[in-house]
mmCIF file with all atom_site columns, all heavy atoms in Angstrom:
data_model
loop_
_atom_site.group_PDB
_atom_site.id
_atom_site.type_symbol
_atom_site.label_atom_id
_atom_site.label_alt_id
_atom_site.label_comp_id
_atom_site.label_asym_id
_atom_site.label_entity_id
_atom_site.label_seq_id
_atom_site.pdbx_PDB_ins_code
_atom_site.Cartn_x
_atom_site.Cartn_y
_atom_site.Cartn_z
_atom_site.occupancy
_atom_site.B_iso_or_equiv
_atom_site.pdbx_formal_charge
_atom_site.auth_seq_id
_atom_site.auth_comp_id
_atom_site.auth_asym_id
_atom_site.auth_atom_id
_atom_site.pdbx_PDB_model_num
ATOM 1   N N   . SER A 1 61 ? -52.708 41.766 47.838 1.00 87.00 ? 326 SER A N   1
ATOM 2   C CA  . SER A 1 61 ? -51.925 42.245 48.974 1.00 87.00 ? 326 SER A CA  1
ATOM 3   C C   . SER A 1 61 ? -50.626 42.867 48.484 1.00 87.00 ? 326 SER A C   1
ATOM 4   O O   . SER A 1 61 ? -50.214 42.681 47.340 1.00 87.00 ? 326 SER A O   1
ATOM 5   C CB  . SER A 1 61 ? -51.625 41.093 49.931 1.00 87.00 ? 326 SER A CB  1
ATOM 6   O OG  . SER A 1 61 ? -50.676 40.212 49.351 1.00 87.00 ? 326 SER A OG  1
ATOM 7   N N   . TYR A 1 62 ? -49.954 43.592 49.384 1.00 93.00 ? 327 TYR A N   1
ATOM 8   C CA  . TYR A 1 62 ? -48.676 44.211 49.031 1.00 93.00 ? 327 TYR A CA  1
ATOM 9   C C   . TYR A 1 62 ? -47.666 43.162 48.584 1.00 93.00 ? 327 TYR A C   1
ATOM 10  O O   . TYR A 1 62 ? -46.913 43.365 47.643 1.00 93.00 ? 327 TYR A O   1
ATOM 11  C CB  . TYR A 1 62 ? -48.088 44.978 50.212 1.00 93.00 ? 327 TYR A CB  1
ATOM 12  C CG  . TYR A 1 62 ? -48.894 46.180 50.646 1.00 93.00 ? 327 TYR A CG  1
ATOM 13  C CD1 . TYR A 1 62 ? -49.090 46.455 51.994 1.00 93.00 ? 327 TYR A CD1 1
ATOM 14  C CD2 . TYR A 1 62 ? -49.432 47.061 49.725 1.00 93.00 ? 327 TYR A CD2 1
ATOM 15  C CE1 . TYR A 1 62 ? -49.807 47.567 52.397 1.00 93.00 ? 327 TYR A CE1 1
ATOM 16  C CE2 . TYR A 1 62 ? -50.150 48.167 50.123 1.00 93.00 ? 327 TYR A CE2 1
ATOM 17  C CZ  . TYR A 1 62 ? -50.331 48.417 51.465 1.00 93.00 ? 327 TYR A CZ  1
ATOM 18  O OH  . TYR A 1 62 ? -51.032 49.520 51.858 1.00 93.00 ? 327 TYR A OH  1
ATOM 19  N N   . ARG A 1 63 ? -47.613 42.044 49.275 1.00 92.00 ? 328 ARG A N   1
ATOM 20  C CA  . ARG A 1 63 ? -46.622 41.015 48.942 1.00 92.00 ? 328 ARG A CA  1
ATOM 21  C C   . ARG A 1 63 ? -46.943 40.329 47.610 1.00 92.00 ? 328 ARG A C   1
ATOM 22  O O   . ARG A 1 63 ? -46.047 39.949 46.873 1.00 92.00 ? 328 ARG A O   1
ATOM 23  C CB  . ARG A 1 63 ? -46.522 39.999 50.058 1.00 92.00 ? 328 ARG A CB  1
ATOM 24  C CG  . ARG A 1 63 ? -45.974 40.655 51.315 1.00 92.00 ? 328 ARG A CG  1
ATOM 25  C CD  . ARG A 1 63 ? -45.162 39.710 52.124 1.00 92.00 ? 328 ARG A CD  1
ATOM 26  N NE  . ARG A 1 63 ? -44.748 40.357 53.344 1.00 92.00 ? 328 ARG A NE  1
ATOM 27  C CZ  . ARG A 1 63 ? -43.501 40.584 53.673 1.00 92.00 ? 328 ARG A CZ  1
ATOM 28  N NH1 . ARG A 1 63 ? -42.535 40.221 52.881 1.00 92.00 ? 328 ARG A NH1 1
ATOM 29  N NH2 . ARG A 1 63 ? -43.197 41.175 54.803 1.00 92.00 ? 328 ARG A NH2 1
ATOM 30  N N   . GLU A 1 64 ? -48.230 40.176 47.293 1.00 87.00 ? 329 GLU A N   1
ATOM 31  C CA  . GLU A 1 64 ? -48.592 39.624 45.980 1.00 87.00 ? 329 GLU A CA  1
ATOM 32  C C   . GLU A 1 64 ? -48.168 40.582 44.869 1.00 87.00 ? 329 GLU A C   1
ATOM 33  O O   . GLU A 1 64 ? -47.635 40.152 43.849 1.00 87.00 ? 329 GLU A O   1
ATOM 34  C CB  . GLU A 1 64 ? -50.101 39.368 45.905 1.00 87.00 ? 329 GLU A CB  1
ATOM 35  C CG  . GLU A 1 64 ? -50.565 38.200 46.744 1.00 87.00 ? 329 GLU A CG  1
ATOM 36  C CD  . GLU A 1 64 ? -52.077 38.074 46.771 1.00 87.00 ? 329 GLU A CD  1
ATOM 37  O OE1 . GLU A 1 64 ? -52.761 39.101 46.889 1.00 87.00 ? 329 GLU A OE1 1
ATOM 38  O OE2 . GLU A 1 64 ? -52.555 36.933 46.673 1.00 87.00 ? 329 GLU A OE2 1
ATOM 39  N N   . ILE A 1 65 ? -48.385 41.866 45.093 1.00 89.00 ? 330 ILE A N   1
ATOM 40  C CA  . ILE A 1 65 ? -47.971 42.867 44.111 1.00 89.00 ? 330 ILE A CA  1
ATOM 41  C C   . ILE A 1 65 ? -46.457 42.850 43.968 1.00 89.00 ? 330 ILE A C   1
ATOM 42  O O   . ILE A 1 65 ? -45.930 42.958 42.859 1.00 89.00 ? 330 ILE A O   1
ATOM 43  C CB  . ILE A 1 65 ? -48.484 44.264 44.510 1.00 89.00 ? 330 ILE A CB  1
ATOM 44  C CG1 . ILE A 1 65 ? -50.016 44.279 44.510 1.00 89.00 ? 330 ILE A CG1 1
ATOM 45  C CG2 . ILE A 1 65 ? -47.938 45.333 43.576 1.00 89.00 ? 330 ILE A CG2 1
ATOM 46  C CD1 . ILE A 1 65 ? -50.639 45.498 45.147 1.00 89.00 ? 330 ILE A CD1 1
ATOM 47  N N   . GLU A 1 66 ? -45.745 42.690 45.081 1.00 89.00 ? 331 GLU A N   1
ATOM 48  C CA  . GLU A 1 66 ? -44.282 42.606 45.048 1.00 89.00 ? 331 GLU A CA  1
ATOM 49  C C   . GLU A 1 66 ? -43.822 41.461 44.156 1.00 89.00 ? 331 GLU A C   1
ATOM 50  O O   . GLU A 1 66 ? -42.912 41.613 43.346 1.00 89.00 ? 331 GLU A O   1
ATOM 51  C CB  . GLU A 1 66 ? -43.748 42.406 46.473 1.00 89.00 ? 331 GLU A CB  1
ATOM 52  C CG  . GLU A 1 66 ? -42.256 42.177 46.559 1.00 89.00 ? 331 GLU A CG  1
ATOM 53  C CD  . GLU A 1 66 ? -41.791 41.899 47.983 1.00 89.00 ? 331 GLU A CD  1
ATOM 54  O OE1 . GLU A 1 66 ? -42.539 41.287 48.768 1.00 89.00 ? 331 GLU A OE1 1
ATOM 55  O OE2 . GLU A 1 66 ? -40.656 42.287 48.292 1.00 89.00 ? 331 GLU A OE2 1
ATOM 56  N N   . ARG A 1 67 ? -44.450 40.295 44.293 1.00 85.00 ? 332 ARG A N   1
ATOM 57  C CA  . ARG A 1 67 ? -44.061 39.134 43.496 1.00 85.00 ? 332 ARG A CA  1
ATOM 58  C C   . ARG A 1 67 ? -44.384 39.330 42.013 1.00 85.00 ? 332 ARG A C   1
ATOM 59  O O   . ARG A 1 67 ? -43.655 38.854 41.147 1.00 85.00 ? 332 ARG A O   1
ATOM 60  C CB  . ARG A 1 67 ? -44.750 37.875 44.025 1.00 85.00 ? 332 ARG A CB  1
ATOM 61  C CG  . ARG A 1 67 ? -44.175 37.377 45.334 1.00 85.00 ? 332 ARG A CG  1
ATOM 62  C CD  . ARG A 1 67 ? -44.743 36.029 45.723 1.00 85.00 ? 332 ARG A CD  1
ATOM 63  N NE  . ARG A 1 67 ? -46.115 36.102 46.186 1.00 85.00 ? 332 ARG A NE  1
ATOM 64  C CZ  . ARG A 1 67 ? -46.483 36.314 47.449 1.00 85.00 ? 332 ARG A CZ  1
ATOM 65  N NH1 . ARG A 1 67 ? -45.589 36.479 48.381 1.00 85.00 ? 332 ARG A NH1 1
ATOM 66  N NH2 . ARG A 1 67 ? -47.750 36.350 47.783 1.00 85.00 ? 332 ARG A NH2 1
ATOM 67  N N   . ILE A 1 68 ? -45.455 40.019 41.712 1.00 84.00 ? 333 ILE A N   1
ATOM 68  C CA  . ILE A 1 68 ? -45.883 40.189 40.326 1.00 84.00 ? 333 ILE A CA  1
ATOM 69  C C   . ILE A 1 68 ? -45.054 41.252 39.611 1.00 84.00 ? 333 ILE A C   1
ATOM 70  O O   . ILE A 1 68 ? -44.543 41.028 38.512 1.00 84.00 ? 333 ILE A O   1
ATOM 71  C CB  . ILE A 1 68 ? -47.380 40.565 40.265 1.00 84.00 ? 333 ILE A CB  1
ATOM 72  C CG1 . ILE A 1 68 ? -48.220 39.382 40.743 1.00 84.00 ? 333 ILE A CG1 1
ATOM 73  C CG2 . ILE A 1 68 ? -47.787 40.991 38.865 1.00 84.00 ? 333 ILE A CG2 1
ATOM 74  C CD1 . ILE A 1 68 ? -49.644 39.740 41.035 1.00 84.00 ? 333 ILE A CD1 1
ATOM 75  N N   . ILE A 1 69 ? -44.898 42.415 40.226 1.00 86.00 ? 334 ILE A N   1
ATOM 76  C CA  . ILE A 1 69 ? -44.245 43.538 39.566 1.00 86.00 ? 334 ILE A CA  1
ATOM 77  C C   . ILE A 1 69 ? -42.743 43.557 39.809 1.00 86.00 ? 334 ILE A C   1
ATOM 78  O O   . ILE A 1 69 ? -41.980 44.042 38.987 1.00 86.00 ? 334 ILE A O   1
ATOM 79  C CB  . ILE A 1 69 ? -44.901 44.861 40.009 1.00 86.00 ? 334 ILE A CB  1
ATOM 80  C CG1 . ILE A 1 69 ? -46.339 44.887 39.522 1.00 86.00 ? 334 ILE A CG1 1
ATOM 81  C CG2 . ILE A 1 69 ? -44.138 46.057 39.475 1.00 86.00 ? 334 ILE A CG2 1
ATOM 82  C CD1 . ILE A 1 69 ? -47.060 46.154 39.801 1.00 86.00 ? 334 ILE A CD1 1
ATOM 83  N N   . GLY A 1 70 ? -42.313 43.032 40.947 1.00 85.00 ? 335 GLY A N   1
ATOM 84  C CA  . GLY A 1 70 ? -40.882 43.032 41.250 1.00 85.00 ? 335 GLY A CA  1
ATOM 85  C C   . GLY A 1 70 ? -40.430 44.278 41.989 1.00 85.00 ? 335 GLY A C   1
ATOM 86  O O   . GLY A 1 70 ? -39.263 44.626 41.982 1.00 85.00 ? 335 GLY A O   1
ATOM 87  N N   . VAL A 1 71 ? -41.362 44.960 42.644 1.00 88.00 ? 336 VAL A N   1
ATOM 88  C CA  . VAL A 1 71 ? -41.058 46.143 43.436 1.00 88.00 ? 336 VAL A CA  1
ATOM 89  C C   . VAL A 1 71 ? -41.360 45.809 44.889 1.00 88.00 ? 336 VAL A C   1
ATOM 90  O O   . VAL A 1 71 ? -42.330 45.117 45.182 1.00 88.00 ? 336 VAL A O   1
ATOM 91  C CB  . VAL A 1 71 ? -41.932 47.337 42.969 1.00 88.00 ? 336 VAL A CB  1
ATOM 92  C CG1 . VAL A 1 71 ? -41.735 48.546 43.839 1.00 88.00 ? 336 VAL A CG1 1
ATOM 93  C CG2 . VAL A 1 71 ? -41.639 47.672 41.531 1.00 88.00 ? 336 VAL A CG2 1
ATOM 94  N N   . SER A 1 72 ? -40.539 46.288 45.803 1.00 91.00 ? 337 SER A N   1
ATOM 95  C CA  . SER A 1 72 ? -40.688 45.994 47.222 1.00 91.00 ? 337 SER A CA  1
ATOM 96  C C   . SER A 1 72 ? -42.096 46.299 47.723 1.00 91.00 ? 337 SER A C   1
ATOM 97  O O   . SER A 1 72 ? -42.711 47.293 47.336 1.00 91.00 ? 337 SER A O   1
ATOM 98  C CB  . SER A 1 72 ? -39.677 46.814 48.020 1.00 91.00 ? 337 SER A CB  1
ATOM 99  O OG  . SER A 1 72 ? -39.989 46.805 49.391 1.00 91.00 ? 337 SER A OG  1
ATOM 100 N N   . HIS A 1 73 ? -42.590 45.443 48.633 1.00 94.00 ? 338 HIS A N   1
ATOM 101 C CA  . HIS A 1 73 ? -43.919 45.668 49.197 1.00 94.00 ? 338 HIS A CA  1
ATOM 102 C C   . HIS A 1 73 ? -43.953 46.963 50.013 1.00 94.00 ? 338 HIS A C   1
ATOM 103 O O   . HIS A 1 73 ? -44.983 47.616 50.117 1.00 94.00 ? 338 HIS A O   1
ATOM 104 C CB  . HIS A 1 73 ? -44.361 44.475 50.048 1.00 94.00 ? 338 HIS A CB  1
ATOM 105 C CG  . HIS A 1 73 ? -43.529 44.240 51.260 1.00 94.00 ? 338 HIS A CG  1
ATOM 106 N ND1 . HIS A 1 73 ? -42.334 43.544 51.211 1.00 94.00 ? 338 HIS A ND1 1
ATOM 107 C CD2 . HIS A 1 73 ? -43.690 44.612 52.542 1.00 94.00 ? 338 HIS A CD2 1
ATOM 108 C CE1 . HIS A 1 73 ? -41.809 43.494 52.421 1.00 94.00 ? 338 HIS A CE1 1
ATOM 109 N NE2 . HIS A 1 73 ? -42.600 44.132 53.239 1.00 94.00 ? 338 HIS A NE2 1
ATOM 110 N N   . VAL A 1 74 ? -42.824 47.365 50.579 1.00 95.00 ? 339 VAL A N   1
ATOM 111 C CA  . VAL A 1 74 ? -42.746 48.624 51.315 1.00 95.00 ? 339 VAL A CA  1
ATOM 112 C C   . VAL A 1 74 ? -42.919 49.801 50.358 1.00 95.00 ? 339 VAL A C   1
ATOM 113 O O   . VAL A 1 74 ? -43.612 50.779 50.670 1.00 95.00 ? 339 VAL A O   1
ATOM 114 C CB  . VAL A 1 74 ? -41.405 48.721 52.082 1.00 95.00 ? 339 VAL A CB  1
ATOM 115 C CG1 . VAL A 1 74 ? -41.273 50.062 52.781 1.00 95.00 ? 339 VAL A CG1 1
ATOM 116 C CG2 . VAL A 1 74 ? -41.273 47.583 53.073 1.00 95.00 ? 339 VAL A CG2 1
ATOM 117 N N   . THR A 1 75 ? -42.326 49.705 49.178 1.00 92.00 ? 340 THR A N   1
ATOM 118 C CA  . THR A 1 75 ? -42.477 50.749 48.168 1.00 92.00 ? 340 THR A CA  1
ATOM 119 C C   . THR A 1 75 ? -43.937 50.858 47.739 1.00 92.00 ? 340 THR A C   1
ATOM 120 O O   . THR A 1 75 ? -44.481 51.962 47.635 1.00 92.00 ? 340 THR A O   1
ATOM 121 C CB  . THR A 1 75 ? -41.588 50.447 46.941 1.00 92.00 ? 340 THR A CB  1
ATOM 122 O OG1 . THR A 1 75 ? -40.235 50.372 47.372 1.00 92.00 ? 340 THR A OG1 1
ATOM 123 C CG2 . THR A 1 75 ? -41.728 51.512 45.877 1.00 92.00 ? 340 THR A CG2 1
ATOM 124 N N   . VAL A 1 76 ? -44.596 49.720 47.533 1.00 94.00 ? 341 VAL A N   1
ATOM 125 C CA  . VAL A 1 76 ? -46.012 49.729 47.152 1.00 94.00 ? 341 VAL A CA  1
ATOM 126 C C   . VAL A 1 76 ? -46.838 50.384 48.266 1.00 94.00 ? 341 VAL A C   1
ATOM 127 O O   . VAL A 1 76 ? -47.708 51.212 48.009 1.00 94.00 ? 341 VAL A O   1
ATOM 128 C CB  . VAL A 1 76 ? -46.517 48.304 46.851 1.00 94.00 ? 341 VAL A CB  1
ATOM 129 C CG1 . VAL A 1 76 ? -48.018 48.315 46.571 1.00 94.00 ? 341 VAL A CG1 1
ATOM 130 C CG2 . VAL A 1 76 ? -45.762 47.706 45.684 1.00 94.00 ? 341 VAL A CG2 1
ATOM 131 N N   . SER A 1 77 ? -46.541 50.033 49.509 1.00 95.00 ? 342 SER A N   1
ATOM 132 C CA  . SER A 1 77 ? -47.233 50.633 50.656 1.00 95.00 ? 342 SER A CA  1
ATOM 133 C C   . SER A 1 77 ? -47.029 52.142 50.684 1.00 95.00 ? 342 SER A C   1
ATOM 134 O O   . SER A 1 77 ? -47.974 52.898 50.947 1.00 95.00 ? 342 SER A O   1
ATOM 135 C CB  . SER A 1 77 ? -46.716 50.001 51.945 1.00 95.00 ? 342 SER A CB  1
ATOM 136 O OG  . SER A 1 77 ? -47.212 50.673 53.066 1.00 95.00 ? 342 SER A OG  1
ATOM 137 N N   . ASN A 1 78 ? -45.808 52.579 50.402 1.00 94.00 ? 343 ASN A N   1
ATOM 138 C CA  . ASN A 1 78 ? -45.531 54.023 50.384 1.00 94.00 ? 343 ASN A CA  1
ATOM 139 C C   . ASN A 1 78 ? -46.304 54.721 49.270 1.00 94.00 ? 343 ASN A C   1
ATOM 140 O O   . ASN A 1 78 ? -46.785 55.844 49.451 1.00 94.00 ? 343 ASN A O   1
ATOM 141 C CB  . ASN A 1 78 ? -44.034 54.286 50.226 1.00 94.00 ? 343 ASN A CB  1
ATOM 142 C CG  . ASN A 1 78 ? -43.264 53.917 51.474 1.00 94.00 ? 343 ASN A CG  1
ATOM 143 O OD1 . ASN A 1 78 ? -43.813 53.850 52.581 1.00 94.00 ? 343 ASN A OD1 1
ATOM 144 N ND2 . ASN A 1 78 ? -41.974 53.661 51.323 1.00 94.00 ? 343 ASN A ND2 1
ATOM 145 N N   . TRP A 1 79 ? -46.427 54.080 48.107 1.00 94.00 ? 344 TRP A N   1
ATOM 146 C CA  . TRP A 1 79 ? -47.212 54.661 47.010 1.00 94.00 ? 344 TRP A CA  1
ATOM 147 C C   . TRP A 1 79 ? -48.670 54.799 47.418 1.00 94.00 ? 344 TRP A C   1
ATOM 148 O O   . TRP A 1 79 ? -49.312 55.812 47.130 1.00 94.00 ? 344 TRP A O   1
ATOM 149 C CB  . TRP A 1 79 ? -47.109 53.815 45.757 1.00 94.00 ? 344 TRP A CB  1
ATOM 150 C CG  . TRP A 1 79 ? -45.774 53.847 45.087 1.00 94.00 ? 344 TRP A CG  1
ATOM 151 C CD1 . TRP A 1 79 ? -44.810 54.802 45.189 1.00 94.00 ? 344 TRP A CD1 1
ATOM 152 C CD2 . TRP A 1 79 ? -45.263 52.869 44.198 1.00 94.00 ? 344 TRP A CD2 1
ATOM 153 N NE1 . TRP A 1 79 ? -43.732 54.475 44.427 1.00 94.00 ? 344 TRP A NE1 1
ATOM 154 C CE2 . TRP A 1 79 ? -43.971 53.290 43.797 1.00 94.00 ? 344 TRP A CE2 1
ATOM 155 C CE3 . TRP A 1 79 ? -45.747 51.668 43.690 1.00 94.00 ? 344 TRP A CE3 1
ATOM 156 C CZ2 . TRP A 1 79 ? -43.178 52.565 42.922 1.00 94.00 ? 344 TRP A CZ2 1
ATOM 157 C CZ3 . TRP A 1 79 ? -44.961 50.943 42.816 1.00 94.00 ? 344 TRP A CZ3 1
ATOM 158 C CH2 . TRP A 1 79 ? -43.699 51.397 42.445 1.00 94.00 ? 344 TRP A CH2 1
ATOM 159 N N   . VAL A 1 80 ? -49.212 53.778 48.075 1.00 94.00 ? 345 VAL A N   1
ATOM 160 C CA  . VAL A 1 80 ? -50.610 53.820 48.514 1.00 94.00 ? 345 VAL A CA  1
ATOM 161 C C   . VAL A 1 80 ? -50.815 54.984 49.474 1.00 94.00 ? 345 VAL A C   1
ATOM 162 O O   . VAL A 1 80 ? -51.798 55.726 49.379 1.00 94.00 ? 345 VAL A O   1
ATOM 163 C CB  . VAL A 1 80 ? -51.016 52.475 49.157 1.00 94.00 ? 345 VAL A CB  1
ATOM 164 C CG1 . VAL A 1 80 ? -52.358 52.593 49.855 1.00 94.00 ? 345 VAL A CG1 1
ATOM 165 C CG2 . VAL A 1 80 ? -51.051 51.368 48.107 1.00 94.00 ? 345 VAL A CG2 1
#
Side-chain angles (χ1 to χ4, degrees):
S326 71
Y327 294 138
R328 295 212 184 243
E329 288 173 318
I330 297 168
E331 175 184 33
R332 287 188 287 271
I333 293 166
I334 295 184
V336 175
S337 166
H338 64 277
V339 176
T340 301
V341 175
S342 172
N343 289 338
W344 290 338
V345 169

